[in-house]
């Protein structure tokens, strides 16, 4: 095999000689990557870069428009408090999205578990730690139901969780009788349920234990996804389940475990929800499902699976919080705040489609 030429495009030709004297020329063209192509590869390898840039742009823009009120320590801590629930539920949603699924029931699971915790502890006199444990167990069972339908009956996750969303929401209204448990009653009978809502003053800013809980949960799941075999298997299943199965990964077991874990995290979100609003309301968290998907998508995760990060979801939740807070301080109507968030989702999905072409 003899090299016979190199073209200006980086093409290389090779002369191949056979025993009977035939000479064939094979030409391989290797073009240098264009700048957009390099950018695609970089963003594909670093999915949190774009959300981080958007967050930075949002903070700078609103600090210029609103002024010192936006950048005050109190307002920054308020944004973190406001995204606590979205952040916790977003963690659960991220795990499902990485597997190329989607869970429309995380919000309903969260509210159902909060109602169960509150009613057991306040109305029935069950010790608060036991009521909390039962609520967490119910969340895991809700996730197990989703996982069983997805893995055992091979039903699409979207359809399964759309159905269980209605089921869990109906159970929530039935068990609670559509009645709210007042914050005074919760504080008197089960203060543990409000513990995540307790304020903590740090350098002029006011956080809650729930905010630190969210950050701790993000750190824990980040470690699981990036430092354990379970996390590597999770990405493999989301990227190509058939290839993962051929390598010996028990894909159904991974998927089932992910849905159970998502249900458990949603129940933890129910605990954080009680701390956030103080009371136990069956009508709370109505937008949690869509908010969690928004945080995950804006945070750089791919709805096609195999790509996403917990840090990106946290940044995505902060982006939503920053834009809503900044627009509110700017005097923008709530209607146009939702309009802006909607465009953020569309742009994030379009950008994901463009980045995915790098592997096409």
């Amino acid at each position: 095999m003899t090299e016979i030429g190199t073209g200006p495009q980086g093409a290389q030709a090779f002369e191949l000689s056979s025993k009977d004297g035939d000479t064939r020329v094979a030409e391989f063209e290797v073009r240098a990557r264009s700048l957009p192509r390099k950018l695609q590869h970089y963003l594909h390898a670093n999915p949190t870069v774009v959300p981080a840039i958007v967050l930075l742009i949002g903070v700078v823009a609103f600090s210029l428009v609103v002024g010192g009120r936006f950048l005050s320590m109190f307002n920054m801590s308020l944004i973190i408090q406001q995204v606590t629930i979205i952040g916790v539920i977003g963690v659960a949603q991220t795990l499902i999205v990485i597997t190329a699924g989607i869970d429309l029931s995380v919000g309903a699971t969260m509210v159902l578990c909060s109602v169960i915790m509150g009613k057991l502890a306040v109305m029935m006199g069950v010790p608060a730690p036991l009521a909390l444990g039962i609520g967490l167990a119910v969340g895991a069972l809700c996730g197990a139901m989703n996982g069983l339908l997805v893995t055992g009956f091979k039903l699409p996750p979207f359809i399964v969780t759309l159905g269980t969303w209605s089921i869990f929401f109906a159970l929530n209204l039935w068990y609670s009788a559509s009645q709210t448990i007042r914050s005074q009653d919760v504080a008197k009978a089960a203060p543990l349920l409000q513990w995540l809502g307790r304020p903590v003053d740090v350098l002029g800013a006011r956080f809650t234990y729930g905010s630190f809980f969210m950050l701790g949960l993000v750190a824990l799941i980040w470690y699981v996804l990036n430092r354990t075999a379970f996390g590597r298997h999770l990405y493999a299943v989301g990227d190509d389940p058939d290839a993962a199965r051929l390598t010996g990964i028990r894909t159904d077991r991974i998927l089932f475990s992910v849905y159970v874990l998502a249900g458990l995290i949603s129940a933890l979100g129910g605990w954080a929800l009680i701390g956030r609003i103080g009371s136990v309301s069956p009508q709370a968290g109505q937008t949690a499902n869509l908010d969690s998907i928004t945080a995950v998508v804006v945070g750089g995760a791919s709805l096609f699976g195999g790509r996403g990060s917990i840090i990106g979801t946290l940044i995505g939740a902060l982006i939503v919080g920053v834009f809503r807070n900044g627009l509110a301080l700017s005097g923008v109507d709530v209607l146009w705040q939702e309009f802006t968030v909607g465009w953020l989702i569309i742009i994030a999905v379009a950008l994901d489609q463009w980045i995915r072409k790098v592997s096409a």
Side-chain angles (χ1 to χ4, degrees):
M1 181 170 65
T2 306
E3 184 176 349
I4 62 173
T6 303
Q9 298 286 335
Q12 293 180 336
F14 296 89
E15 183 179 11
L16 305 176
S17 299
S18 61
K19 292 181 179 179
D20 57 4
D22 284 346
T23 300
R24 300 178 183 178
V25 175
E27 185 174 337
F28 303 91
E29 190 171 341
V30 183
R31 287 189 172 90
R33 290 178 182 172
S34 63
L35 181 60
R37 190 71 171 173
K38 290 180 179 179
L39 182 59
Q40 275 182 301
H41 277 270
Y42 179 76
L43 295 179
H44 188 271
N46 302 274
T48 61
V49 170
V50 173
I53 293 174
V54 172
L55 179 60
L56 179 61
I57 292 174
V59 170
V60 172
F62 286 119
S63 65
L64 294 175
V65 173
V66 179
R69 286 187 303 159
F70 180 79
L71 286 178
S72 67
M73 289 295 293
F74 177 80
N75 190 59
M76 291 291 101
S77 62
L78 179 62
I79 292 175
I80 295 177
Q81 290 183 49
Q82 291 171 339
V83 303
T84 295
I85 306 301
I86 302 177
V88 173
I89 299 300
V91 169
Q93 191 70 254
T94 303
L95 296 174
I96 303 298
V97 169
I98 288 175
T99 66
I102 196 167
D103 193 342
L104 299 178
S105 68
V106 289
T109 301
M110 174 186 71
V111 179
L112 174 62
C113 293
S114 71
V115 167
I116 289 174
M117 294 174 191
K119 192 159 186 177
L120 288 177
V122 178
M123 308 298 292
M124 298 183 179
V126 176
L130 179 58
L132 177 61
I134 293 174
L136 297 179
V138 170
L141 286 174
C142 291
M145 180 177 176
N146 287 333
L148 180 62
L149 291 173
V150 170
T151 61
F153 293 88
K154 307 301 180 184
L155 299 178
F158 180 87
I159 301 301
V160 167
T161 57
L162 180 62
T164 55
W165 170 78
S166 297
I167 292 171
F168 300 156
F169 183 69
L171 289 175
N172 162 40
L173 295 180
W174 168 75
Y175 187 70
S176 66
S178 298
Q179 296 179 352
T180 298
I181 303 176
R182 300 182 308 168
S183 59
Q184 301 94 315
D185 296 331
V186 178
K188 181 178 179 181
L192 175 64
L193 297 184
Q194 295 179 331
W195 184 77
L196 291 179
R198 291 183 181 178
V200 181
D201 293 328
V202 180
L203 300 175
R206 171 158 290 192
F207 300 93
T208 63
Y209 286 127
S211 301
F212 296 114
F213 174 77
M214 174 191 68
L215 296 176
L217 180 64
V218 167
L220 175 62
I221 300 301
W222 178 90
Y223 178 83
V224 170
L225 289 178
N226 293 277
R227 295 292 186 269
T228 68
F230 177 81
R232 292 190 293 272
H233 291 172
L234 188 63
Y235 280 105
V237 170
D239 188 54
D240 191 335
D242 293 329
R245 190 179 299 110
L246 291 175
T247 62
I249 298 175
R250 298 182 177 181
T251 55
D252 285 346
R253 177 177 293 185
I254 293 292
L255 282 175
F256 182 79
S257 301
V258 166
Y259 279 96
V260 173
L261 182 57
L264 178 61
I265 294 174
S266 298
L268 290 171
W271 184 25
L273 178 64
I274 297 176
R276 174 67 183 152
I277 65 177
S279 60
V280 178
S281 173
Q283 303 295 336
Q286 294 294 315
T287 63
N289 291 327
L290 296 181
D291 286 343
S292 67
I293 296 172
T294 300
V296 172
V297 173
V298 173
S302 172
L303 292 175
F304 297 94
R307 181 173 174 271
S309 81
I310 294 297
I311 302 300
T313 296
L314 176 60
I315 296 175
L318 290 173
I319 289 173
V320 174
V322 163
F323 272 78
R324 283 179 174 165
N325 180 273
L327 291 172
L329 290 178
S330 302
V332 177
D333 188 84
V334 175
L335 172 66
W336 298 110
Q337 295 177 31
E338 296 303 320
F339 178 86
T340 303
V341 172
W343 275 111
L344 282 175
I345 298 173
I346 293 174
I347 293 171
V349 173
L351 184 60
D352 171 63
Q353 290 278 54
W354 180 70
I355 292 174
R356 280 181 60 82
K357 290 180 181 178
V358 75
S359 59

